[in-house]
Amino acid sequence: NLIINGAMQVAQRGTSSTTNGYGSVDRFRVFYNGNDEAPTHAQADVASGTTPYTLGFRKSYKITNGNQTSGAGAADVSNILTTIEAQDVANSGWNYTSASSFITLSFWVKSSVAQNFYGYVLSADGTEQRYAYETGSLSADTWTKITKTIPGNSNIQIDNNNGGGLEINIIPFRGTNSTDSGVSLNVWAAHSSSARTPDSTSTWFTTNDATFEITGVQLEVSDHATDFEHRSFAQELALCQRYYFLFCEGTNKEINVAWYFNNTHISFFIRYPTTMRAAPTLTVASGTNYYIIYRNNGNNQFGNFASEFISTEQMSCFTSSGVSGTAGQAGILRTNNSASKVEVSAEL
């Protein structure tokens, strides 16, 4: 299975968000545009007694539509996607340039509105190629398994590197700026940002607070779908941390030993739990006295810090704002506010 976190177990950033992009379930994100009210994406519970529940799924990725009072505009979008690292596709065993070699995408989906939905698979290297598909008509509030077997194509290029290789899109709605009634389903074609899929039915999007859920997302090198490859939470978390990890959040969380390079500058390291996809970006929640260093029977409190030297294994960090000590002194660096938060990201 080339999909990471397809059972939606891991949600390091939080269980609910209106952020455009990543914000809740790891490795899955929402792209939205032109909405009157932002959709909410969340890690939700799969109800007992449903088929996905009996198959071992306990969590889903749930999109709740905002109130779209102005209707479905041409530029409006609510799009779920996940991106697979190129080298994982290149080394998967799929002969992606051969029409007789196949991958199979499968997932469970539930919509509160009965209608047909579209999606597409996108190859990101070279001249982008797009394979559009449909779910078929879904019954309202009913889990349905979708299976799409996809052949290779001579125009596909997948580079053996750490960039994006395949992008899987599952689309509650896209306006006509990015769709076209002439798009053919179940064939590869050169990608066009103005013709990704056939035109979307707008019923879901114009239904205020409509919901759309997926779970059990799997992409495998096969000409048919096999049973979902359930991984342990620990396995999924480790795979997710290649792309993002929440280093610490809240009060009194130890960051590391820090030392005074000079009397107004402290330095320290952050080590990652696994080698990251690329040199990552540090995001630090900042505010008055959010962080504290205890040293020499005293302390300094400060509001922020920054990265300095970054690799795929660790980064060095520093602050020279609001600290005062003696060069060579060392101490323990901790968070000092319930809103303190340190994140490291190398997402695709």
Side-chain angles (χ1 to χ4, degrees):
N1 180 18
L2 297 176
I3 301 291
I4 296 173
N5 203 33
M8 315 302 169
Q9 296 184 77
V10 180
Q12 294 183 81
R13 296 172 178 86
T15 56
S16 181
S17 176
T18 56
T19 300
N20 199 341
Y22 295 104
S24 56
V25 171
D26 278 60
R27 302 297 304 123
F28 285 80
R29 55 193 165 108
V30 168
F31 170 71
Y32 63 84
N33 182 71
N35 300 30
D36 296 326
E37 182 184 8
T40 299
H41 50 109
Q43 183 189 54
D45 293 327
V46 175
S48 62
T50 62
T51 302
Y53 189 95
T54 64
L55 294 173
F57 300 105
R58 296 297 182 267
K59 297 294 182 182
S60 68
Y61 189 47
K62 182 177 182 178
I63 311 303
T64 302
N65 187 32
N67 294 339
Q68 311 306 337
T69 55
S70 66
D76 294 351
V77 177
S78 286
N79 193 137
I80 302 168
L81 61 155
T82 184
T83 305
I84 304 169
E85 197 169 331
Q87 60 190 349
D88 291 340
V89 181
N91 293 283
S92 67
W94 180 38
N95 184 4
Y96 47 84
T97 61
S98 170
S100 59
S101 183
F102 299 89
I103 51 173
T104 296
L105 171 68
S106 57
F107 57 92
W108 288 91
V109 61
K110 182 175 74 168
S111 167
S112 64
V113 173
Q115 69 168 71
N116 182 37
F117 295 90
Y118 294 111
Y120 64 94
V121 177
L122 179 71
S123 66
D125 293 317
T127 301
E128 294 178 330
Q129 301 295 310
R130 178 257 304 136
Y131 187 97
Y133 65 88
E134 64 182 347
T135 63
S137 182
L138 302 181
S139 299
D141 298 312
T142 303
W143 283 106
T144 302
K145 187 173 183 180
I146 307 301
T147 301
K148 299 295 173 182
T149 296
I150 302 169
N153 183 275
S154 59
N155 293 322
I156 294 174
Q157 178 179 331
I158 305 289
D159 295 339
N160 189 20
N161 62 24
N162 65 349
L166 282 181
E167 185 181 279
I168 310 300
N169 291 265
I170 303 170
I171 306 172
F173 179 76
R174 270 191 173 273
T176 54
N177 281 359
S178 56
T179 66
D180 189 284
S181 60
V183 171
S184 297
L185 295 174
N186 305 318
V187 293
W188 287 100
H191 178 60
S192 168
S193 61
S194 61
R196 299 166 191 259
T197 70
D199 295 336
S200 294
T201 302
S202 62
T203 311
W204 183 91
F205 188 75
T206 55
T207 301
N208 292 340
D209 304 319
T211 60
F212 188 92
E213 294 180 65
I214 57 171
T215 194
V217 184
Q218 181 157 276
L219 184 71
E220 53 194 315
V221 181
S222 175
D223 61 3
H224 63 281
T226 66
D227 291 343
F228 185 82
E229 181 187 341
H230 287 280
R231 302 183 184 118
S232 70
F233 180 87
Q235 288 174 307
E236 291 287 15
L237 176 61
L239 291 170
C240 291
Q241 286 175 332
R242 175 170 172 78
Y243 304 92
Y244 169 90
F245 79 95
L246 177 61
F247 184 74
C248 63
E249 182 176 22
T251 306
N252 293 325
K253 301 297 176 63
E254 291 195 4
I255 296 174
N256 208 336
V257 173
W259 64 93
Y260 285 81
F261 179 75
N262 57 45
N263 63 349
T264 60
H265 181 114
I266 64 171
S267 297
F268 60 95
F269 289 96
I270 289 178
R271 284 192 171 274
Y272 321 142
T274 189
T275 299
M276 301 199 74
R277 180 190 65 85
T281 299
L282 174 71
T283 301
V284 180
S286 60
T288 302
N289 298 335
Y290 269 30
Y291 305 94
I292 186 169
I293 180 171
Y294 294 95
R295 85 289 183 267
N296 195 33
N297 203 32
N299 67 76
N300 276 160
Q301 299 178 49
F302 56 95
N304 200 356
F305 59 85
S307 59
E308 192 170 18
F309 301 108
I310 306 172
S311 74
T312 55
E313 289 80 31
Q314 66 179 27
M315 69 171 63
S316 62
C317 301
F318 75 97
T319 186
S320 55
S321 175
V323 293
S324 178
T326 302
Q329 282 185 344
I332 295 295
L333 179 61
R334 291 177 180 161
T335 59
N336 195 46
N337 189 287
S338 60
S340 302
K341 189 174 185 180
V342 181
E343 304 169 275
V344 178
S345 177
E347 287 284 11
L348 287 162

